[in-house]
Amino acid sequence: MYLHRLELRAIGPYPELVTIDFAALAASGVFLLEGPTGSGKSTIIDAVVFALYGGLAGEGSTHDRLHSQHADPGVEPFVELVFETGAGVYRVRRTPQYDRPKQRGAGTVRQQASAQLFRLAHSGDVVGEPVSSRIPEIGLEVARVVGLDRAQFLQTVVLPQGEFARFLRAPGEDRRKLLQSLFGTQVYDRTADELAARRREVQAEVESADARVRDALSRFAQAAGVVDADEASVPGTLDALRAVATATAADRTEAVAAAERARVHEHDVAARLQARARRAVLLDRRRALDDAAPRVEAARARLALAERAVRVTTPAQGLDAARSRADEHRRRAHDLRARLGVPSDVDTAARRTDLATCVAAVRHLVAVEATLDDRRRARTDAADRAALLVRRVAELDRALEARPAGRAALVEEARTAATAAGDAEAARAEVERLRQLRADLDARDAAAAAVHRAEQVVADRRVRAEALLRTEQALRTRRIAGLAGELGAALVPGDPCPVCGALEHPDVALPQDDHPDAAAVDEAADASRVADGALAEAASALAVERAALERLRAAVGETDADALATRAAAADARVQAAHAAAVRVAEVEGQRTAYDDETRALEREHNTVQADHAVLVATSGAEGSRLDQDAAAVTDARQRAATVAAGSWDASADTDGRIGGTSDDRSLAQLVRQLDDLVARADEVAVAESQATTAAQAVRERSAEVDLALTEQGFDRLDAARAALLQPEASAALQAEVVAAERERAVVDAGLVEPAVVAAAADEGSAAGATVALDLDAARTATVAAAERADEATRAAVSASDRSEAAARCAAEVVRAVRARDDTSARSRAVVRLADVANGVTAVNPSGITLGTYVLMRRFEDVVAAANDRLRGMLGGRFTLETSDEREAGSRARRTGLALAVHDHTTDTRRAPGSLSGGETFTVSLCLALGLADVVQAEAGGVSLGTLFVDEGFGTLDPETLDDVIGQLARLTAGGRQVGIVSHVEELKQRIPERIAVRRTAEGGSRVTTTV
C-alpha cells in the first residue's frame, strides 16, 4: 500500500487546512516527520489511521483528541487520504463526531461521524466513482483492499509510540494470527479442518459399514431359521437349505401329477354318464319328429302355393295404381288448358320459347328504367352544386391570402413575451438570495441581542465572582491576623507551645469575636470556585454567540432592512412580471398553434373543393351521355315487349283480365311482368301434359309385368292367383310349424353324432351285450384325497424354496456388506492418518504442530532470517533472532512453533525478548518489522507494504547504532518503499532533507511545513 496525499482540517492541534503530498516527500525513499514534543507529529499518523479505519494509532488514545480545540466551533473537522493498493487507487474522507453551534439560537448540537469512499482512475482524479458512504461498509472495504485490519496495520505499516516492539514481545498465538492474515495461509487451516471433518466422516462410514454387516447377518439368521450366524457359517447353512428345497420340490411334482390323474378320471366318468342320459333324450325326440312328418309336409306345400300367388298379385296391384294415376293426369292437363285459356291445338313449347327470349332481352332494362327520373334530377343538382363549388373556391382564396399577416402578429407577440419570461430564473434566484439575506439579517439582530445578554451575564457573574473572591481573601486575611488567638485558644496548660515549644504560657492571646474559622474560609473558597466556573461557562457561551454574530455580520455586510425591503419588492415584481410573461407565451403559442391548424384546415378545404368541382364537371358530362343512351334503349325495349305480348295464343285473355292491354303508355316493368305471366302459364301446361304422358307409359309397362308373372307361376287367370293367397295369420301359423319341425330335426341329428353320445352308444352296445358300470362317487373321493396330498407337498416345497431364496438374498447382502466394510476400512486408513498429521495428533505427529502452523513456521523462519540479515550489521553483530517450536513461558496454549528468542553472541546465551534494553529493543524490533515487510512484499499474492512509519525510538540510540539504523532504512527504500521517520532527534534533521516540520503557533495550535 502507498500513500499519495493527506488533507486534514480542525484535527488535533491543526485548526487550518493541512495538505501533505507523500508521493513528493517519498521520492528519495525516506522522509522525516519532526517537531517538538507535543507539537502534533503523532496526530498526523493518527489522521492516517483514522482515515483508513476510523480509529487512532495509540491504544490509549480517545477520539476527543481528534477535534481541534483551536479551530472555530463552526468549522467541520475532516481527514481525507488518497492511497493506492493492488486493488486500485482510492480516496477516503472521514469526519469525527463533534459539537457544533446551533444554526438557530444558542448552544451546541452533536454532529455525528460520517465517511465516504471513492475509487479513483488515478491519484489526481478529483471526482472518482463513489463506493459507499456507510461507515461499516467502508471499514470492511478498506480492510479488504489494504489486506490488513487496524491491529495488523499498526504492527506492519504504522508503528506508533509505545507499540513498536509489540510483535517482538507478542506470544506465539498472536504472531500466528498476524502472519496468517499477512501471508494468506488460512487455506492450510481450512485444509486441516476439512481433513478432520473427512476423518469424522470416514470413521462414521466404517462404523456404519460394521453395523450393516451385523444387520445383514441378523437378517440371514432370521431367514435361515437358525439361532445365530456368523460370516463363516453362511455358505454351509445356505447349501443345507437348498438341498431341502430340492427334495420337497420333487415330492410336490409327484403329488401334483397324481392329483391331476385323479381329476381327469373323475371328469371322464361324469362325462360318460352325462352322454348316456343325453342320448336317450335325443332318441325320444327323433321318434316324435317321425310321427309328425306328414302334417309338416302338407303345410310346406300350402306355403309354396301362396308364395307363387303373391308373385302374381304384387305386380297386379301396381297395374291398378298406374291406371288410376294415368286417368288423373289426363284430366288435370285438360282442365289446366281450359282454365288458362290455352287452345288444345297450340304448341305451348314453341310459344314459350318466343316469350322467354323476349323477356331475357329486355329484363335488364327494367332497373335502368327505374333510375331514369332520379338520374335526370341528379344531373340538374350536379349543375347547381358545381356553381356553389366555384363560389366557395373564391371565398377560400380570399381567406388564405389574409392568413400570413395574422400569424406574423402572433409570432411577434410570442417573441416579446418570451424575452420578458427569460428573466424568471434570475428573478427567482434574486428573491431567494434576498430571502436568505433577510433571514441572516434577522438572525444577526437576534445574535446581537444574544451577545448583549451574554455580555450582561458575564458582567454580572464577573462582579459576583470578584465579590466572592474579595470575601474569600478578606476571610483568609482576618484568619491569618487572628491566628495567634486561634492557637492560644487551643493551648492546654502543661502542653508545649506549637510555635516556641515553651511549657509555660504567661500571656496567652485570645481570639476575636468575629474571627473566621477554617470552615468559613473553605465555604467562601467553594463559593468563589463555583462563581469562577459559572463565569467561565458564561464566557464560553459568549464566545460562541460572538462567533455566530461575526459570521452573520460577514454574511450580511452593510445591508439595512429598508434597502433590503425595497430590493425584495423589486425582485418580487420581476418574478411576477416574468411569470405573467411566461403565461402569455403559453397562451400566444396556443393561439398560434390553433391559428396554424385553422390555416391548414382552410387549405385542405380549398384543395377538397377544387377536387370535388373537377370530379363533378368530369362526371356530369359522361353521365348525361349515358342517360340519353339508356332512355333510348328503354323505349325500344317497351315497343318490342308490347309487340310480343300482343301476339299471345288466345285473344279472349284480354276479357278475363289475365293479359293486360298493349297500349304504349305502359312501363317496361309492367310489360315484363305480363311476359313472365305468359311464360309461367306455358310452363304449367307443359308440365301437366308431360306427367300425363309418363303415367300412360307406366300403365303399359305394368300390364306387361302381370302377364309375364301369370305365365311363370302357372296361373291361367289373375282371379285364380288371388284365390290362392293366404291370410297373414294362417301363413304365419303354417310357417312356424314348418320352421319348428326343421329346427328340432337339426338339433336331434347334431346331438346324435356328438363324440360323447357316439361313445355312450358304444358302451351300451358292447360285445358282451351288457352296459359298462361307472362309479362317480368313488372317482370324486379319489380326486379329493390326491388334491390334499398335492396341497401338503406344495406347501412344504414353497416354504422350503422361500426360505432358501430369502437366505440366498440375505447371504448376498452379507457378502456385499462385508466387501463394502473392507473397502471402507482400507480407504479410511489413509484419510485418518493424513488428518491426524495435519491436525497435530501426537500419536502420528510427535511434534504436535498443525499444517497451518507448519507453513507459518517456514514463513516465520524467512522473516527471522530477513531480520537477522539487518541485525548482523547493528549493535556490533551481538544479537540474532532464533525461532523455536517450544511453548513460550507463561503461555497456556499448546506449542505454536512460532516462539522467538534472542541469541546473545557475547555470552553465547539465549535470552527472552523482554530482557533487552530500550535501545536494543528498538533496534531488534525495527529489524524484525523490516524483515516482516520484506517477506510479505516478496510473497506472490501477499499484502504489498509500500509505506512504513516509525514513530519515535531513535532517541534511545547512540550515534553508531543510529548510523546502522539509517543505513538499513536506506536499503529498504531501494525496493521502492516509502519510509517515514517520526522523531524530534536533531541529528536526523541533518541526515534526511525531505521532511514534514511541525511547529507550534502563538495561538496554541500547530502548523505544518513540507520540505522536498
Coordinates of all heavy atoms in Angstrom, one line a residue, residues 456-494:
Q456 N -24.0 40.8 29.4 CA -24.6 41.2 30.7 C -24.4 40.1 31.7 O -24.1 40.3 32.9 CB -26.1 41.5 30.5 CG -26.7 42.1 31.8 CD -26.1 43.4 32.1 OE1 -25.8 44.2 31.3 NE2 -25.9 43.7 33.4
V457 N -24.7 38.8 31.2 CA -24.5 37.7 32.2 C -23.0 37.6 32.6 O -22.7 37.3 33.8 CB -25.0 36.4 31.5 CG1 -24.6 35.1 32.4 CG2 -26.5 36.4 31.3
V458 N -22.1 37.7 31.6 CA -20.7 37.6 32.0 C -20.3 38.7 33.0 O -19.6 38.5 34.0 CB -19.8 37.7 30.7 CG1 -18.3 37.9 31.1 CG2 -20.0 36.4 29.9
A459 N -20.8 40.0 32.7 CA -20.5 41.1 33.6 C -21.1 40.8 35.0 O -20.4 41.0 36.0 CB -21.1 42.4 33.1
D460 N -22.3 40.3 35.1 CA -22.9 40.0 36.4 C -22.1 39.0 37.1 O -21.9 39.1 38.3 CB -24.4 39.6 36.2 CG -25.2 40.7 35.7 OD1 -24.8 41.9 35.7 OD2 -26.4 40.4 35.2
R461 N -21.8 37.9 36.4 CA -21.1 36.8 37.0 C -19.6 37.2 37.4 O -19.1 36.7 38.4 CB -21.1 35.6 36.1 CG -22.4 34.9 36.0 CD -22.4 33.7 35.2 NE -23.8 33.1 35.0 CZ -24.0 32.0 34.4 NH1 -23.1 31.3 33.8 NH2 -25.3 31.5 34.4
R462 N -19.1 38.1 36.6 CA -17.7 38.6 36.9 C -17.8 39.4 38.2 O -16.9 39.3 39.1 CB -17.1 39.4 35.8 CG -15.7 39.9 36.1 CD -15.1 40.7 34.9 NE -14.8 39.8 33.8 CZ -15.4 39.8 32.7 NH1 -16.4 40.6 32.5 NH2 -15.1 38.9 31.8
V463 N -18.8 40.3 38.3 CA -18.9 41.1 39.5 C -19.1 40.2 40.7 O -18.5 40.4 41.8 CB -20.1 42.1 39.4 CG1 -20.4 42.7 40.7 CG2 -19.8 43.1 38.3
R464 N -20.0 39.1 40.6 CA -20.2 38.2 41.7 C -19.0 37.4 42.0 O -18.6 37.3 43.2 CB -21.4 37.2 41.3 CG -21.6 36.2 42.4 CD -22.8 35.4 42.1 NE -23.0 34.2 43.0 CZ -23.3 34.3 44.3 NH1 -23.7 35.5 44.8 NH2 -23.4 33.3 45.0
A465 N -18.2 37.0 41.0 CA -17.0 36.2 41.2 C -16.0 37.1 41.9 O -15.3 36.6 42.9 CB -16.4 35.7 39.9
E466 N -15.8 38.4 41.5 CA -14.8 39.2 42.1 C -15.3 39.5 43.6 O -14.4 39.6 44.5 CB -14.7 40.5 41.4 CG -14.1 40.4 40.0 CD -14.1 41.6 39.2 OE1 -14.8 42.6 39.6 OE2 -13.5 41.6 38.1
A467 N -16.6 39.7 43.8 CA -17.0 40.0 45.2 C -16.8 38.8 46.1 O -16.3 38.9 47.2 CB -18.5 40.3 45.2
L468 N -17.1 37.6 45.6 CA -16.8 36.4 46.4 C -15.3 36.1 46.6 O -14.9 35.7 47.6 CB -17.4 35.1 45.7 CG -19.0 35.1 45.7 CD1 -19.5 33.9 44.8 CD2 -19.5 35.0 47.1
L469 N -14.5 36.5 45.6 CA -13.1 36.4 45.7 C -12.6 37.3 46.8 O -11.7 37.0 47.7 CB -12.3 36.6 44.4 CG -10.8 36.5 44.4 CD1 -10.4 35.1 44.8 CD2 -10.2 36.9 43.0
R470 N -13.1 38.6 46.8 CA -12.7 39.5 47.8 C -13.1 39.0 49.2 O -12.4 39.2 50.2 CB -13.3 40.9 47.5 CG -12.6 41.6 46.3 CD -13.0 43.1 46.2 NE -14.5 43.2 46.1 CZ -15.0 43.3 44.9 NH1 -14.3 43.2 43.8 NH2 -16.4 43.5 44.8
T471 N -14.3 38.5 49.2 CA -14.8 37.9 50.5 C -13.9 36.8 51.0 O -13.5 36.8 52.2 CB -16.2 37.4 50.4 OG1 -17.1 38.4 49.9 CG2 -16.7 36.8 51.7
E472 N -13.5 35.9 50.1 CA -12.6 34.8 50.5 C -11.2 35.4 51.0 O -10.7 35.0 52.0 CB -12.3 33.9 49.3 CG -11.4 32.8 49.6 CD -11.0 32.0 48.4 OE1 -11.4 32.3 47.3 OE2 -10.2 31.0 48.6
Q473 N -10.7 36.4 50.2 CA -9.4 37.0 50.6 C -9.5 37.7 51.9 O -8.6 37.6 52.8 CB -9.0 38.0 49.5 CG -8.6 37.3 48.2 CD -8.3 38.2 47.1 OE1 -8.5 39.4 47.2 NE2 -7.7 37.7 46.0
A474 N -10.6 38.4 52.2 CA -10.8 39.1 53.4 C -10.9 38.1 54.6 O -10.2 38.3 55.6 CB -12.1 39.9 53.4
L475 N -11.6 37.0 54.4 CA -11.7 35.9 55.4 C -10.3 35.3 55.7 O -9.9 35.1 56.9 CB -12.7 34.9 55.0 CG -14.2 35.3 55.1 CD1 -15.0 34.1 54.5 CD2 -14.6 35.6 56.5
R476 N -9.5 35.1 54.6 CA -8.2 34.5 54.8 C -7.3 35.5 55.6 O -6.5 35.1 56.5 CB -7.6 34.1 53.5 CG -8.3 32.9 52.8 CD -7.5 32.5 51.6 NE -8.3 31.4 50.9 CZ -8.1 30.1 51.2 NH1 -7.4 29.8 52.2 NH2 -8.8 29.2 50.5
T477 N -7.4 36.8 55.2 CA -6.6 37.8 55.9 C -6.9 37.9 57.4 O -6.1 38.0 58.2 CB -6.8 39.2 55.2 OG1 -6.4 39.0 53.8 CG2 -5.9 40.2 55.8
R478 N -8.2 37.9 57.7 CA -8.6 38.0 59.0 C -8.2 36.8 59.8 O -7.8 36.9 61.0 CB -10.2 38.2 59.1 CG -10.6 39.6 58.7 CD -12.1 39.7 58.4 NE -12.8 39.2 59.6 CZ -14.1 38.8 59.5 NH1 -14.8 38.9 58.4 NH2 -14.7 38.4 60.7
R479 N -8.3 35.6 59.2 CA -7.9 34.4 59.9 C -6.5 34.4 60.2 O -6.0 34.0 61.3 CB -8.3 33.2 59.1 CG -8.1 31.9 59.8 CD -8.7 30.7 59.1 NE -8.6 29.5 59.9 CZ -7.6 28.6 59.7 NH1 -6.7 28.8 58.7 NH2 -7.5 27.5 60.4
I480 N -5.6 34.9 59.2 CA -4.2 34.9 59.4 C -3.9 35.9 60.5 O -3.0 35.7 61.4 CB -3.5 35.3 58.1 CG1 -3.6 34.2 57.1 CG2 -2.0 35.6 58.4 CD1 -3.1 34.5 55.7
A481 N -4.6 37.1 60.5 CA -4.3 38.1 61.5 C -4.7 37.6 62.9 O -4.1 37.9 63.9 CB -5.1 39.4 61.2
G482 N -5.7 36.8 63.0 CA -6.1 36.3 64.3 C -5.7 34.9 64.6 O -6.3 34.2 65.4
L483 N -4.6 34.4 63.9 CA -4.2 33.0 64.0 C -3.6 32.8 65.4 O -3.7 31.7 66.0 CB -3.1 32.7 63.0 CG -2.7 31.3 62.8 CD1 -3.9 30.4 62.5 CD2 -1.7 31.1 61.7
A484 N -2.9 33.9 66.0 CA -2.3 33.7 67.4 C -3.4 33.4 68.4 O -3.3 32.6 69.2 CB -1.6 35.0 67.7
G485 N -4.6 34.2 68.3 CA -5.7 33.9 69.2 C -6.2 32.5 69.0 O -6.6 31.8 70.0
E486 N -6.3 32.0 67.8 CA -6.8 30.7 67.5 C -5.9 29.6 68.1 O -6.3 28.7 68.7 CB -6.9 30.5 66.0 CG -7.5 29.1 65.6 CD -7.6 29.0 64.1 OE1 -7.6 30.0 63.3 OE2 -7.8 27.8 63.6
L487 N -4.5 29.9 68.0 CA -3.6 28.9 68.6 C -3.7 29.0 70.1 O -3.6 28.0 70.8 CB -2.2 29.3 68.1 CG -1.9 29.0 66.7 CD1 -0.5 29.5 66.3 CD2 -2.0 27.5 66.3
G488 N -3.8 30.3 70.6 CA -3.9 30.4 72.1 C -5.1 29.7 72.7 O -5.1 29.1 73.7
A489 N -6.2 29.8 72.0 CA -7.4 29.1 72.5 C -7.3 27.6 72.5 O -7.9 26.9 73.3 CB -8.6 29.5 71.6
A490 N -6.4 27.1 71.7 CA -6.2 25.7 71.6 C -5.1 25.2 72.6 O -5.0 24.0 72.8 CB -5.8 25.2 70.2
L491 N -4.4 26.1 73.3 CA -3.3 25.7 74.3 C -4.0 25.1 75.5 O -5.0 25.6 76.1 CB -2.4 26.8 74.6 CG -1.4 27.3 73.6 CD1 -0.6 28.5 74.0 CD2 -0.5 26.1 73.2
V492 N -3.3 24.1 76.1 CA -3.7 23.5 77.3 C -2.6 23.6 78.3 O -1.4 23.3 77.9 CB -4.1 22.0 77.1 CG1 -4.5 21.3 78.4 CG2 -5.3 21.9 76.1
P493 N -2.8 24.0 79.5 CA -1.7 24.1 80.5 C -0.9 22.8 80.6 O -1.5 21.8 80.7 CB -2.4 24.5 81.8 CG -3.6 25.2 81.4 CD -4.1 24.5 80.2
G494 N 0.5 23.0 80.5 CA 1.3 21.8 80.6 C 1.7 21.3 79.2 O 2.7 20.5 79.1

